[in-house]
Amino acid sequence: MIWLTWRQNRIEGFVILGALVLSSIFLLITGLQMTQDFQQSGLSACLAHHPGPNVQGSICGPLATAFANQYGSLILFAVVLMLLSSLLGVMVGAPLVAREFEQRTTQLVWLQSITRTRWLSVKVALVLLTGLLVGGALLVELSWWYRPLSPLIGPLNPVAFDFSGPVLVAATVMAFGLGMFAGTLTRRTVFAIFLTLALLLAIRLPVEFGLRPNYEPPVTITWPLAQLGPPPVTVGSQDWILGEGFIDAHGNQTPNLNCHGLGETLTPLQCLQASGYRANYLSYQPADRFWTFQWIETSIYAGIALLALAATFWLVRRRRV
Amino acid sequence: MSNALETAHLSKRYGRTWALQDCTLALPAGRVAALVGPNGAGKTTLLNLSVGILEPTAGSVQVLGSSPLKQPTKTLPRLGFVAQDHPLYQDFTVADLLTLGRKLNPGFDDQLARARMQKLGIPLDRRAGKLSGGQQAQVALVLALAKRPELLLLDEPLASLDPLARREFLRTLLDATVETGLTVLLSSHIIGDLERVCDYLIILSASQVQLVGDLQEIGQTHKRLIGPRQNVDAIAHVHTVIEQSQTERQTTLLVRANGPIFDPSWEVQGVSLEDIMLAYLGRQAGEQLAASSSAHKGMEVVQ
């Protein structure tokens, strides 16, 4: 059965391998260049001599800004690679069962001497393994690649978070699992691919934008209106700032200012006080919560992957051809 | 001899449509049975229920003494199945398909499979998708046979084949049955080709079983009776009237005789299997016809 699954999907296997090799080459070239520049520019040594959470505000600030300006945009490629891993999951996972239904080969393979549960188990095992390998390989590569940028931007950054820990592996496995589920449900390859993409968006967007900022209650600091300007405490470059603004008359946090008469008769402070604003605020997630957040999100994605695979088994066991 | 296949009140419903209804039949071991019926009669449903691909809505099916759905590990190794249009992995070579058979079946007879491929002139390195329809059907049959099954089920194996391929396919099948005493059930909507290979007949129409029995016995018990126009009640008391047509002067019946026919007013003729099948298949259509226009002149059909 392992032979059969490999024989059926070896082209996909080679495509995945090719994609991994190409991305590795790209990451290696840009990564080496980035590391070299990190050291030659003196940023590496500066950070070693002046450790502190706030890089931008420290003596290394100009160096860090220059470095971030030069390489920050490369993060986009990391995002593309991360999306690619999910896309591979969809492209491989969705046809895995759907194609057998479409070409009616289920009626050939289900009538050999093995049960269809066994048939599906091998496919699922292979999918899990591939998901783990692809996700794991990308995780190792991207973690190494991101090292110079990490002290400047931090791993909790909404973009970097996705490829800086086990979430990347769980998300990849989830894409494979949802693909298999959609393929078994619809029994149509093309339909299954679209359904999987829709499911992935419907899960990941709410998780990343709705749930993630609140895995733990954010830290909120407030300071008097009279003290205009930056917050009185140092927020590190690696902390994830969720929002800043004013506390209004009702005690709500608002990033928007609605102040009448500003500049005409009132100073900014007078205007704020007249409009009922009480204080400045800044809310953020401290960088040291990174691992907690990673494991929470990993559990969510891994849980969904397991549910999808369980549903796939249930469908195959009870559905007609 | 025990039964290779037994069904009891087997039924399958899709939504509101019954694909198979209250099907009770037995196929004794060692027989080569033809399952005939028009398209949509429920043949594929019956076969898929028999191999455990489908789950019945009601009733039960026993294959070689076990339930194919609940005890797949007992039935699967002993079953051979060639589905409609003989699906194969199109990008596999013939050798790959044989490897599949070997890896997935403990009792797979690789030598037999290779020998048959050679005899049929099918190259092992050719991809399945590049073979002709007849060759693909042969490969599917050889794959099923090399499992060394006790019961072989074939769904419309001849439908897509030209007459020559048909003959070769049936020859391969016949060789296998003679060698091993295998039980075979093959479905078809035509009976002509099957008369030579089959010795058992199951007629399925409108999702119900119409007739089951030994082919020879069916041929002997079914008679065509021709006589002057008369009331058929008397003869219907003793024999089963399958089909009846009347002209002004003459009455023609197709009956299943439950004994000798003594009435001298009837001229008794033999009847071909094709005609018997058509008579049974016509029953359902006839009922509908009779219901829709009861005042049908010249000819009426009674069940």
Side-chain angles (χ1 to χ4, degrees):
Chain A
M1 191 58 221
I2 296 171
W3 172 85
L4 173 65
T5 314
W6 163 245
R7 174 65 189 81
Q8 279 181 280
N9 301 291
R10 59 187 183 189
I11 295 173
E12 287 89 337
F14 289 133
V15 169
I16 290 180
L17 206 65
L20 274 182
V21 167
L22 280 180
S23 59
S24 306
I25 293 172
F26 170 80
L27 286 175
L28 198 68
I29 292 172
T30 54
L32 283 175
Q33 197 187 353
M34 209 153 51
T35 312
Q36 201 185 13
D37 218 28
F38 185 62
Q39 278 156 0
Q40 282 182 356
S41 70
L43 180 57
S44 166
C46 179
L47 287 174
H49 281 103
H50 309 285
N54 188 357
V55 176
Q56 258 77 24
S58 76
I59 197 161
C60 310
L63 277 175
T65 309
F67 186 77
N69 283 346
Q70 192 176 352
Y71 292 107
S73 58
L74 278 180
I75 285 194
L76 202 67
F77 289 100
V79 173
V80 168
L81 281 181
M82 181 197 79
L83 291 179
L84 188 74
S85 72
S86 286
L87 205 64
L88 280 178
V90 175
M91 292 308 195
V92 174
L96 211 59
V97 176
R99 199 174 41 196
E100 299 242 21
F101 279 121
E102 239 168 19
Q103 301 179 351
R104 300 179 52 249
T105 43
T106 45
Q107 299 196 13
L108 174 69
V109 75
W110 287 1
L111 261 297
Q112 306 303 313
S113 300
I114 53 158
T115 60
R116 54 180 109 160
T117 315
R118 173 86 194 288
W119 165 83
L120 187 61
S121 307
V122 175
K123 279 186 191 276
V124 166
L126 216 75
V127 153
L128 284 177
L129 197 69
T130 314
L132 288 173
L133 283 178
V134 171
L138 277 174
L139 175 59
V140 170
E141 291 175 5
L142 282 166
S143 301
W144 169 80
W145 180 86
Y146 189 62
R147 253 185 345 187
L149 284 170
S150 186
L152 315 181
I153 303 170
L156 204 54
N157 170 286
V159 175
F161 186 84
D162 286 332
F163 60 78
S164 301
V167 162
L168 174 61
V169 182
T172 309
V173 170
M174 180 175 74
F176 276 94
L178 285 175
M180 269 191 96
F181 167 71
T184 312
L185 187 74
T186 63
R187 304 186 221 171
R188 294 284 173 271
T189 305
V190 177
F191 188 21
I193 288 175
F194 281 108
L195 180 62
T196 315
L197 289 174
L199 282 173
L200 276 178
L201 286 179
I203 291 167
R204 293 201 64 169
L205 292 181
V207 165
E208 304 204 358
F209 293 103
L211 295 181
R212 193 190 292 165
N214 301 304
Y215 288 152
E216 280 185 59
V219 174
T220 303
I221 41 175
T222 55
W223 64 97
L225 283 174
Q227 195 181 330
L228 286 171
V233 294
T234 330
V235 177
S237 306
Q238 302 197 356
D239 295 333
W240 179 21
I241 293 171
L242 297 175
E244 53 189 314
F246 302 92
I247 309 273
D248 69 10
H250 309 287
N252 298 321
Q253 298 176 349
T254 168
N256 305 315
L257 205 53
N258 191 7
C259 205
H260 298 290
L262 178 68
E264 296 166 12
T265 52
L266 302 170
T267 66
L269 179 61
Q270 286 167 330
C271 171
L272 283 172
Q273 282 164 339
S275 303
Y277 289 104
R278 294 176 190 170
N280 296 295
Y281 87 93
L282 173 78
S283 78
Y284 68 101
Q285 293 286 1
D288 58 10
R289 291 181 179 175
F290 173 74
W291 284 106
T292 314
F293 277 35
Q294 276 283 332
W295 290 118
I296 290 174
E297 199 159 309
T298 300
S299 321
I300 293 176
Y301 289 159
I304 291 173
L306 282 181
L307 272 180
L309 291 175
T312 308
F313 270 100
W314 182 76
L315 281 174
V316 162
R317 285 174 69 104
R318 68 164 289 276
R319 278 287 277 269
R320 59 188 190 82
V321 174
Chain B
M1 196 104 190
S2 62
N3 291 326
L5 174 70
E6 259 181 52
T7 69
H9 309 291
L10 191 63
S11 307
K12 178 72 190 176
R13 189 180 56 197
Y14 295 113
R16 287 184 174 181
T17 326
W18 287 94
L20 192 70
Q21 218 171 355
D22 201 28
C23 167
T24 301
L25 59 84
L27 173 60
R31 296 294 193 136
V32 179
L35 173 63
V36 294
N39 295 326
K43 301 191 294 290
T44 300
T45 306
L46 175 59
L47 289 175
N48 285 349
L49 286 166
S50 303
V51 297
I53 284 181
L54 283 184
E55 195 176 358
T57 311
S60 68
V61 55
Q62 293 267 308
V63 171
L64 305 163
S66 310
S67 158
L69 207 70
K70 292 183 188 120
Q71 301 154 293
T73 47
K74 279 190 182 171
T75 55
L76 281 178
R78 302 161 70 195
L79 275 180
F81 181 59
V82 178
Q84 208 162 5
D85 303 324
H86 36 79
L88 295 171
Y89 292 107
Q90 298 289 307
D91 59 334
F92 278 34
T93 62
V94 176
D96 285 336
L97 288 168
L98 295 187
T99 310
L100 179 155
R102 215 171 49 235
K103 300 245 180 200
L104 299 191
N105 301 285
F108 195 79
D109 192 337
D110 202 43
Q111 274 188 324
L112 171 106
R114 279 169 198 279
R116 286 223 194 272
M117 295 300 179
Q118 197 174 21
K119 197 173 159 191
L120 294 161
I122 296 173
L124 291 181
D125 56 356
R126 186 77 53 88
R127 286 185 190 280
K130 301 266 186 224
L131 296 172
S132 71
Q135 285 176 321
Q136 288 191 26
Q138 289 278 13
V139 170
L141 177 62
V142 169
L143 272 180
L145 284 174
K147 266 181 90 177
R148 291 258 173 230
E150 292 164 52
L151 173 62
L152 177 66
L153 299 105
L154 310 161
D155 195 359
E156 301 269 7
L158 306 173
S160 59
L161 305 185
D162 63 53
L164 190 67
R166 239 174 236 197
R167 204 170 68 185
E168 283 181 354
F169 186 94
L170 288 176
R171 186 180 297 155
T172 309
L173 183 64
L174 209 59
D175 286 353
T177 55
V178 170
E179 282 166 24
T180 61
L182 151 92
T183 313
V184 180
L185 177 60
L186 75 166
S187 75
S188 178
H189 56 269
I190 38 170
I191 196 167
D193 294 306
L194 304 181
E195 262 177 282
R196 287 185 300 125
V197 291
C198 296
D199 58 12
Y200 205 76
L201 183 66
I202 299 167
I203 295 181
L204 204 61
S205 172
S207 68
Q208 284 182 320
V209 177
Q210 306 288 344
L211 180 69
V212 183
D214 182 272
L215 200 65
Q216 210 180 355
E217 197 187 303
I218 288 172
Q220 283 166 356
T221 51
H222 285 76
K223 303 284 183 199
R224 191 186 304 283
L225 307 185
I226 302 168
R229 188 184 167 98
Q230 57 187 285
N231 195 310
V232 299
D233 287 349
I235 197 145
H237 269 299
V238 187
H239 308 292
T240 315
V241 177
I242 310 298
E243 190 185 56
Q244 146 184 13
S245 65
Q246 299 206 336
T247 61
E248 299 219 352
R249 293 158 176 253
Q250 187 176 290
T251 298
T252 308
L253 303 178
L254 200 154
V255 301
R256 176 171 203 174
N258 299 321
I261 293 161
F262 296 114
D263 190 340
S265 67
W266 294 104
E267 183 195 334
V268 180
Q269 291 180 348
V271 53
S272 76
L273 221 47
E274 183 102 39
D275 286 343
I276 296 173
M277 192 183 97
L278 287 173
Y280 277 96
L281 300 188
R283 281 170 93 186
Q284 185 67 24
E287 278 166 22
Q288 287 160 0
L289 195 73
S292 61
S293 62
S294 53
H296 201 65
K297 274 189 185 166
M299 186 202 285
E300 66 185 76
V301 189
V302 175
Q303 75 155 345

